[in-house]
Amino acid sequence: MIRLTLFIRIFFMELVAGNLLRLPLFILNDTLAERDIEQPDLCIDITLNQDLIDELCVNPDVDNNACLYLDDYQLEAINSAYHGLLQESHAAQLQISHGPLVAAMLTTDDERVFVSPHMDFMPTFDLGLEGEE
């Protein structure tokens, strides 16, 4: 089992509008440190648009974070205990810290909080140079 609090996964993502960013979410409670990273409670899917891509390219200073509130995202309940949450009101945000590291947080109206592990974010870009001579 991988300890969630110590887990930082590096993922490479081509930053192109329309690409999907998928992050696992875990209920924030006393058992978080013992959770298996392969068994999240929820997954959040965020379709990248140009505004979000511009924000994701920011690498904040060591002492700062950037917070991006999300209007457009989809949730999937992996743990059957949270299927009802999909019909409830909730809000999501991405947090970017120095590295850059990216994490997601979801809050519900009844004050439950779900978090993703911080992922070491290594963006790649399509510079449109393929095929040029």
Side-chain angles (χ1 to χ4, degrees), residues 93-121:
Q93 63 185 1
L94 286 179
Q95 297 173 337
I96 302 170
S97 54
H98 185 73
L101 300 174
V102 66
M105 184 169 74
L106 181 88
T107 55
T108 65
D109 281 347
D110 62 358
E111 299 183 6
R112 289 181 288 177
V113 176
F114 295 82
V115 295
S116 76
H118 283 84
M119 307 278 189
D120 193 356
F121 185 64

PDB file of all heavy atoms in Angstrom, residues 93-121:
ATOM      1  N   GLN A  93     -11.889  22.919  -7.002  1.00  0.00           N
ATOM      2  CA  GLN A  93     -10.803  23.834  -7.329  1.00  0.00           C
ATOM      3  C   GLN A  93      -9.518  23.049  -7.539  1.00  0.00           C
ATOM      4  O   GLN A  93      -9.370  21.943  -7.044  1.00  0.00           O
ATOM      5  CB  GLN A  93     -10.616  24.870  -6.231  1.00  0.00           C
ATOM      6  CG  GLN A  93     -10.224  24.293  -4.896  1.00  0.00           C
ATOM      7  CD  GLN A  93     -10.165  25.357  -3.805  1.00  0.00           C
ATOM      8  OE1 GLN A  93     -10.431  26.513  -4.050  1.00  0.00           O
ATOM      9  NE2 GLN A  93      -9.810  24.961  -2.611  1.00  0.00           N
ATOM     10  N   LEU A  94      -8.623  23.642  -8.315  1.00  0.00           N
ATOM     11  CA  LEU A  94      -7.265  23.126  -8.470  1.00  0.00           C
ATOM     12  C   LEU A  94      -6.338  24.029  -7.676  1.00  0.00           C
ATOM     13  O   LEU A  94      -6.492  25.248  -7.688  1.00  0.00           O
ATOM     14  CB  LEU A  94      -6.831  23.132  -9.933  1.00  0.00           C
ATOM     15  CG  LEU A  94      -7.435  22.091 -10.848  1.00  0.00           C
ATOM     16  CD1 LEU A  94      -6.903  22.282 -12.265  1.00  0.00           C
ATOM     17  CD2 LEU A  94      -7.130  20.689 -10.361  1.00  0.00           C
ATOM     18  N   GLN A  95      -5.391  23.431  -7.010  1.00  0.00           N
ATOM     19  CA  GLN A  95      -4.377  24.182  -6.292  1.00  0.00           C
ATOM     20  C   GLN A  95      -3.036  23.881  -6.931  1.00  0.00           C
ATOM     21  O   GLN A  95      -2.665  22.719  -7.102  1.00  0.00           O
ATOM     22  CB  GLN A  95      -4.356  23.796  -4.817  1.00  0.00           C
ATOM     23  CG  GLN A  95      -5.650  24.117  -4.130  1.00  0.00           C
ATOM     24  CD  GLN A  95      -5.696  23.578  -2.722  1.00  0.00           C
ATOM     25  OE1 GLN A  95      -4.997  22.640  -2.370  1.00  0.00           O
ATOM     26  NE2 GLN A  95      -6.538  24.175  -1.909  1.00  0.00           N
ATOM     27  N   ILE A  96      -2.320  24.942  -7.299  1.00  0.00           N
ATOM     28  CA  ILE A  96      -1.009  24.791  -7.915  1.00  0.00           C
ATOM     29  C   ILE A  96       0.003  25.392  -6.962  1.00  0.00           C
ATOM     30  O   ILE A  96      -0.133  26.528  -6.523  1.00  0.00           O
ATOM     31  CB  ILE A  96      -0.944  25.503  -9.276  1.00  0.00           C
ATOM     32  CG1 ILE A  96      -2.034  24.950 -10.195  1.00  0.00           C
ATOM     33  CG2 ILE A  96       0.428  25.328  -9.913  1.00  0.00           C
ATOM     34  CD1 ILE A  96      -2.219  25.736 -11.458  1.00  0.00           C
ATOM     35  N   SER A  97       1.013  24.606  -6.619  1.00  0.00           N
ATOM     36  CA  SER A  97       2.086  25.093  -5.758  1.00  0.00           C
ATOM     37  C   SER A  97       3.416  24.919  -6.472  1.00  0.00           C
ATOM     38  O   SER A  97       3.483  24.327  -7.554  1.00  0.00           O
ATOM     39  CB  SER A  97       2.064  24.376  -4.400  1.00  0.00           C
ATOM     40  OG  SER A  97       2.088  22.985  -4.565  1.00  0.00           O
ATOM     41  N   HIS A  98       4.472  25.442  -5.865  1.00  0.00           N
ATOM     42  CA  HIS A  98       5.786  25.447  -6.503  1.00  0.00           C
ATOM     43  C   HIS A  98       6.195  24.040  -6.894  1.00  0.00           C
ATOM     44  O   HIS A  98       6.035  23.090  -6.144  1.00  0.00           O
ATOM     45  CB  HIS A  98       6.818  26.065  -5.555  1.00  0.00           C
ATOM     46  CG  HIS A  98       8.166  26.201  -6.188  1.00  0.00           C
ATOM     47  ND1 HIS A  98       8.425  27.146  -7.142  1.00  0.00           N
ATOM     48  CD2 HIS A  98       9.306  25.507  -6.008  1.00  0.00           C
ATOM     49  CE1 HIS A  98       9.685  27.039  -7.522  1.00  0.00           C
ATOM     50  NE2 HIS A  98      10.238  26.048  -6.844  1.00  0.00           N
ATOM     51  N   GLY A  99       6.710  23.894  -8.065  1.00  0.00           N
ATOM     52  CA  GLY A  99       7.164  22.605  -8.578  1.00  0.00           C
ATOM     53  C   GLY A  99       7.109  22.543 -10.084  1.00  0.00           C
ATOM     54  O   GLY A  99       8.109  22.286 -10.712  1.00  0.00           O
ATOM     55  N   PRO A 100       6.025  22.754 -10.746  1.00  0.00           N
ATOM     56  CA  PRO A 100       4.699  22.930 -10.145  1.00  0.00           C
ATOM     57  C   PRO A 100       4.076  21.608  -9.723  1.00  0.00           C
ATOM     58  O   PRO A 100       4.280  20.579 -10.358  1.00  0.00           O
ATOM     59  CB  PRO A 100       3.886  23.574 -11.263  1.00  0.00           C
ATOM     60  CG  PRO A 100       4.530  23.108 -12.529  1.00  0.00           C
ATOM     61  CD  PRO A 100       5.988  22.917 -12.198  1.00  0.00           C
ATOM     62  N   LEU A 101       3.351  21.671  -8.621  1.00  0.00           N
ATOM     63  CA  LEU A 101       2.545  20.561  -8.135  1.00  0.00           C
ATOM     64  C   LEU A 101       1.092  20.958  -8.300  1.00  0.00           C
ATOM     65  O   LEU A 101       0.729  22.111  -8.061  1.00  0.00           O
ATOM     66  CB  LEU A 101       2.821  20.272  -6.654  1.00  0.00           C
ATOM     67  CG  LEU A 101       4.249  19.886  -6.282  1.00  0.00           C
ATOM     68  CD1 LEU A 101       4.379  19.788  -4.770  1.00  0.00           C
ATOM     69  CD2 LEU A 101       4.630  18.559  -6.915  1.00  0.00           C
ATOM     70  N   VAL A 102       0.246  20.019  -8.680  1.00  0.00           N
ATOM     71  CA  VAL A 102      -1.178  20.301  -8.836  1.00  0.00           C
ATOM     72  C   VAL A 102      -1.964  19.304  -7.984  1.00  0.00           C
ATOM     73  O   VAL A 102      -1.600  18.138  -7.878  1.00  0.00           O
ATOM     74  CB  VAL A 102      -1.609  20.256 -10.324  1.00  0.00           C
ATOM     75  CG1 VAL A 102      -1.487  18.873 -10.895  1.00  0.00           C
ATOM     76  CG2 VAL A 102      -3.001  20.802 -10.508  1.00  0.00           C
ATOM     77  N   ALA A 103      -3.020  19.803  -7.341  1.00  0.00           N
ATOM     78  CA  ALA A 103      -3.919  18.973  -6.542  1.00  0.00           C
ATOM     79  C   ALA A 103      -5.329  19.510  -6.722  1.00  0.00           C
ATOM     80  O   ALA A 103      -5.527  20.688  -7.024  1.00  0.00           O
ATOM     81  CB  ALA A 103      -3.521  19.000  -5.070  1.00  0.00           C
ATOM     82  N   ALA A 104      -6.309  18.636  -6.527  1.00  0.00           N
ATOM     83  CA  ALA A 104      -7.711  19.044  -6.617  1.00  0.00           C
ATOM     84  C   ALA A 104      -8.341  18.946  -5.241  1.00  0.00           C
ATOM     85  O   ALA A 104      -7.920  18.150  -4.395  1.00  0.00           O
ATOM     86  CB  ALA A 104      -8.460  18.151  -7.599  1.00  0.00           C
ATOM     87  N   MET A 105      -9.356  19.782  -5.029  1.00  0.00           N
ATOM     88  CA  MET A 105     -10.134  19.733  -3.793  1.00  0.00           C
ATOM     89  C   MET A 105     -11.602  19.922  -4.160  1.00  0.00           C
ATOM     90  O   MET A 105     -11.935  20.767  -4.987  1.00  0.00           O
ATOM     91  CB  MET A 105      -9.692  20.815  -2.822  1.00  0.00           C
ATOM     92  CG  MET A 105     -10.422  20.732  -1.493  1.00  0.00           C
ATOM     93  SD  MET A 105      -9.727  21.790  -0.213  1.00  0.00           S
ATOM     94  CE  MET A 105     -10.277  23.382  -0.777  1.00  0.00           C
ATOM     95  N   LEU A 106     -12.447  19.116  -3.562  1.00  0.00           N
ATOM     96  CA  LEU A 106     -13.880  19.187  -3.776  1.00  0.00           C
ATOM     97  C   LEU A 106     -14.551  19.362  -2.426  1.00  0.00           C
ATOM     98  O   LEU A 106     -14.225  18.654  -1.470  1.00  0.00           O
ATOM     99  CB  LEU A 106     -14.387  17.897  -4.439  1.00  0.00           C
ATOM    100  CG  LEU A 106     -15.869  17.855  -4.742  1.00  0.00           C
ATOM    101  CD1 LEU A 106     -16.139  18.462  -6.115  1.00  0.00           C
ATOM    102  CD2 LEU A 106     -16.400  16.445  -4.678  1.00  0.00           C
ATOM    103  N   THR A 107     -15.453  20.317  -2.330  1.00  0.00           N
ATOM    104  CA  THR A 107     -16.218  20.521  -1.092  1.00  0.00           C
ATOM    105  C   THR A 107     -17.706  20.367  -1.422  1.00  0.00           C
ATOM    106  O   THR A 107     -18.163  20.754  -2.498  1.00  0.00           O
ATOM    107  CB  THR A 107     -15.964  21.911  -0.474  1.00  0.00           C
ATOM    108  OG1 THR A 107     -16.239  22.910  -1.452  1.00  0.00           O
ATOM    109  CG2 THR A 107     -14.529  22.039  -0.019  1.00  0.00           C
ATOM    110  N   THR A 108     -18.435  19.808  -0.467  1.00  0.00           N
ATOM    111  CA  THR A 108     -19.870  19.612  -0.635  1.00  0.00           C
ATOM    112  C   THR A 108     -20.621  20.569   0.282  1.00  0.00           C
ATOM    113  O   THR A 108     -20.038  21.138   1.208  1.00  0.00           O
ATOM    114  CB  THR A 108     -20.264  18.154  -0.297  1.00  0.00           C
ATOM    115  OG1 THR A 108     -20.007  17.922   1.088  1.00  0.00           O
ATOM    116  CG2 THR A 108     -19.491  17.160  -1.147  1.00  0.00           C
ATOM    117  N   ASP A 109     -21.900  20.730   0.018  1.00  0.00           N
ATOM    118  CA  ASP A 109     -22.716  21.619   0.852  1.00  0.00           C
ATOM    119  C   ASP A 109     -22.785  21.168   2.310  1.00  0.00           C
ATOM    120  O   ASP A 109     -22.946  21.982   3.208  1.00  0.00           O
ATOM    121  CB  ASP A 109     -24.131  21.735   0.283  1.00  0.00           C
ATOM    122  CG  ASP A 109     -24.191  22.687  -0.899  1.00  0.00           C
ATOM    123  OD1 ASP A 109     -23.213  23.427  -1.124  1.00  0.00           O
ATOM    124  OD2 ASP A 109     -25.217  22.681  -1.609  1.00  0.00           O
ATOM    125  N   ASP A 110     -22.654  19.869   2.540  1.00  0.00           N
ATOM    126  CA  ASP A 110     -22.678  19.383   3.925  1.00  0.00           C
ATOM    127  C   ASP A 110     -21.270  19.337   4.535  1.00  0.00           C
ATOM    128  O   ASP A 110     -21.025  18.639   5.508  1.00  0.00           O
ATOM    129  CB  ASP A 110     -23.384  18.034   4.028  1.00  0.00           C
ATOM    130  CG  ASP A 110     -22.690  16.933   3.236  1.00  0.00           C
ATOM    131  OD1 ASP A 110     -21.664  17.212   2.572  1.00  0.00           O
ATOM    132  OD2 ASP A 110     -23.172  15.789   3.271  1.00  0.00           O
ATOM    133  N   GLU A 111     -20.354  20.091   3.935  1.00  0.00           N
ATOM    134  CA  GLU A 111     -19.000  20.334   4.445  1.00  0.00           C
ATOM    135  C   GLU A 111     -18.072  19.132   4.413  1.00  0.00           C
ATOM    136  O   GLU A 111     -17.072  19.092   5.125  1.00  0.00           O
ATOM    137  CB  GLU A 111     -19.059  20.938   5.854  1.00  0.00           C
ATOM    138  CG  GLU A 111     -19.773  22.270   5.869  1.00  0.00           C
ATOM    139  CD  GLU A 111     -19.790  22.929   7.230  1.00  0.00           C
ATOM    140  OE1 GLU A 111     -19.152  22.421   8.172  1.00  0.00           O
ATOM    141  OE2 GLU A 111     -20.455  23.976   7.340  1.00  0.00           O
ATOM    142  N   ARG A 112     -18.360  18.164   3.564  1.00  0.00           N
ATOM    143  CA  ARG A 112     -17.380  17.095   3.336  1.00  0.00           C
ATOM    144  C   ARG A 112     -16.337  17.641   2.375  1.00  0.00           C
ATOM    145  O   ARG A 112     -16.641  18.406   1.458  1.00  0.00           O
ATOM    146  CB  ARG A 112     -18.035  15.851   2.752  1.00  0.00           C
ATOM    147  CG  ARG A 112     -18.904  15.117   3.758  1.00  0.00           C
ATOM    148  CD  ARG A 112     -19.529  13.887   3.168  1.00  0.00           C
ATOM    149  NE  ARG A 112     -20.580  14.312   2.230  1.00  0.00           N
ATOM    150  CZ  ARG A 112     -21.293  13.473   1.490  1.00  0.00           C
ATOM    151  NH1 ARG A 112     -21.070  12.181   1.539  1.00  0.00           N
ATOM    152  NH2 ARG A 112     -22.224  13.943   0.672  1.00  0.00           N
ATOM    153  N   VAL A 113     -15.095  17.226   2.573  1.00  0.00           N
ATOM    154  CA  VAL A 113     -13.988  17.675   1.730  1.00  0.00           C
ATOM    155  C   VAL A 113     -13.282  16.445   1.174  1.00  0.00           C
ATOM    156  O   VAL A 113     -12.981  15.502   1.907  1.00  0.00           O
ATOM    157  CB  VAL A 113     -12.994  18.549   2.535  1.00  0.00           C
ATOM    158  CG1 VAL A 113     -11.799  18.936   1.672  1.00  0.00           C
ATOM    159  CG2 VAL A 113     -13.692  19.784   3.089  1.00  0.00           C
ATOM    160  N   PHE A 114     -13.024  16.487  -0.123  1.00  0.00           N
ATOM    161  CA  PHE A 114     -12.276  15.437  -0.810  1.00  0.00           C
ATOM    162  C   PHE A 114     -11.035  16.082  -1.403  1.00  0.00           C
ATOM    163  O   PHE A 114     -11.099  17.191  -1.948  1.00  0.00           O
ATOM    164  CB  PHE A 114     -13.118  14.811  -1.926  1.00  0.00           C
ATOM    165  CG  PHE A 114     -14.329  14.083  -1.434  1.00  0.00           C
ATOM    166  CD1 PHE A 114     -15.495  14.779  -1.123  1.00  0.00           C
ATOM    167  CD2 PHE A 114     -14.311  12.715  -1.276  1.00  0.00           C
ATOM    168  CE1 PHE A 114     -16.625  14.117  -0.666  1.00  0.00           C
ATOM    169  CE2 PHE A 114     -15.437  12.034  -0.814  1.00  0.00           C
ATOM    170  CZ  PHE A 114     -16.595  12.749  -0.507  1.00  0.00           C
ATOM    171  N   VAL A 115      -9.906  15.387  -1.315  1.00  0.00           N
ATOM    172  CA  VAL A 115      -8.648  15.938  -1.816  1.00  0.00           C
ATOM    173  C   VAL A 115      -7.940  14.907  -2.681  1.00  0.00           C
ATOM    174  O   VAL A 115      -8.109  13.707  -2.514  1.00  0.00           O
ATOM    175  CB  VAL A 115      -7.713  16.374  -0.662  1.00  0.00           C
ATOM    176  CG1 VAL A 115      -8.326  17.515   0.122  1.00  0.00           C
ATOM    177  CG2 VAL A 115      -7.377  15.215   0.256  1.00  0.00           C
ATOM    178  N   SER A 116      -7.141  15.418  -3.600  1.00  0.00           N
ATOM    179  CA  SER A 116      -6.268  14.541  -4.381  1.00  0.00           C
ATOM    180  C   SER A 116      -4.861  14.689  -3.831  1.00  0.00           C
ATOM    181  O   SER A 116      -4.532  15.708  -3.213  1.00  0.00           O
ATOM    182  CB  SER A 116      -6.304  14.912  -5.862  1.00  0.00           C
ATOM    183  OG  SER A 116      -5.554  16.082  -6.106  1.00  0.00           O
ATOM    184  N   PRO A 117      -4.014  13.695  -4.071  1.00  0.00           N
ATOM    185  CA  PRO A 117      -2.602  13.887  -3.715  1.00  0.00           C
ATOM    186  C   PRO A 117      -1.996  14.951  -4.620  1.00  0.00           C
ATOM    187  O   PRO A 117      -2.497  15.196  -5.720  1.00  0.00           O
ATOM    188  CB  PRO A 117      -1.973  12.517  -3.963  1.00  0.00           C
ATOM    189  CG  PRO A 117      -2.929  11.783  -4.830  1.00  0.00           C
ATOM    190  CD  PRO A 117      -4.271  12.386  -4.648  1.00  0.00           C
ATOM    191  N   HIS A 118      -0.950  15.589  -4.161  1.00  0.00           N
ATOM    192  CA  HIS A 118      -0.233  16.542  -5.010  1.00  0.00           C
ATOM    193  C   HIS A 118       0.522  15.756  -6.074  1.00  0.00           C
ATOM    194  O   HIS A 118       1.221  14.789  -5.770  1.00  0.00           O
ATOM    195  CB  HIS A 118       0.753  17.365  -4.183  1.00  0.00           C
ATOM    196  CG  HIS A 118       0.077  18.434  -3.405  1.00  0.00           C
ATOM    197  ND1 HIS A 118      -0.495  18.193  -2.177  1.00  0.00           N
ATOM    198  CD2 HIS A 118      -0.146  19.731  -3.683  1.00  0.00           C
ATOM    199  CE1 HIS A 118      -1.034  19.309  -1.732  1.00  0.00           C
ATOM    200  NE2 HIS A 118      -0.844  20.258  -2.627  1.00  0.00           N
ATOM    201  N   MET A 119       0.338  16.167  -7.305  1.00  0.00           N
ATOM    202  CA  MET A 119       0.991  15.513  -8.427  1.00  0.00           C
ATOM    203  C   MET A 119       2.038  16.452  -8.997  1.00  0.00           C
ATOM    204  O   MET A 119       1.768  17.637  -9.216  1.00  0.00           O
ATOM    205  CB  MET A 119      -0.027  15.194  -9.528  1.00  0.00           C
ATOM    206  CG  MET A 119      -1.221  14.423  -9.057  1.00  0.00           C
ATOM    207  SD  MET A 119      -0.842  12.693  -8.978  1.00  0.00           S
ATOM    208  CE  MET A 119      -2.468  12.026  -8.682  1.00  0.00           C
ATOM    209  N   ASP A 120       3.225  15.920  -9.222  1.00  0.00           N
ATOM    210  CA  ASP A 120       4.285  16.703  -9.849  1.00  0.00           C
ATOM    211  C   ASP A 120       3.904  16.863 -11.311  1.00  0.00           C
ATOM    212  O   ASP A 120       3.842  15.900 -12.061  1.00  0.00           O
ATOM    213  CB  ASP A 120       5.618  15.971  -9.703  1.00  0.00           C
ATOM    214  CG  ASP A 120       6.804  16.843 -10.039  1.00  0.00           C
ATOM    215  OD1 ASP A 120       6.604  17.991 -10.464  1.00  0.00           O
ATOM    216  OD2 ASP A 120       7.938  16.365  -9.878  1.00  0.00           O
ATOM    217  N   PHE A 121       3.606  18.067 -11.688  1.00  0.00           N
ATOM    218  CA  PHE A 121       3.013  18.356 -12.985  1.00  0.00           C
ATOM    219  C   PHE A 121       4.091  18.791 -13.961  1.00  0.00           C
ATOM    220  O   PHE A 121       4.736  19.809 -13.775  1.00  0.00           O
ATOM    221  CB  PHE A 121       1.966  19.464 -12.809  1.00  0.00           C
ATOM    222  CG  PHE A 121       1.198  19.790 -14.035  1.00  0.00           C
ATOM    223  CD1 PHE A 121       0.369  18.855 -14.610  1.00  0.00           C
ATOM    224  CD2 PHE A 121       1.283  21.037 -14.611  1.00  0.00           C
ATOM    225  CE1 PHE A 121      -0.367  19.153 -15.745  1.00  0.00           C
ATOM    226  CE2 PHE A 121       0.561  21.349 -15.735  1.00  0.00           C
ATOM    227  CZ  PHE A 121      -0.268  20.400 -16.301  1.00  0.00           C
TER     228      PHE A 121
END
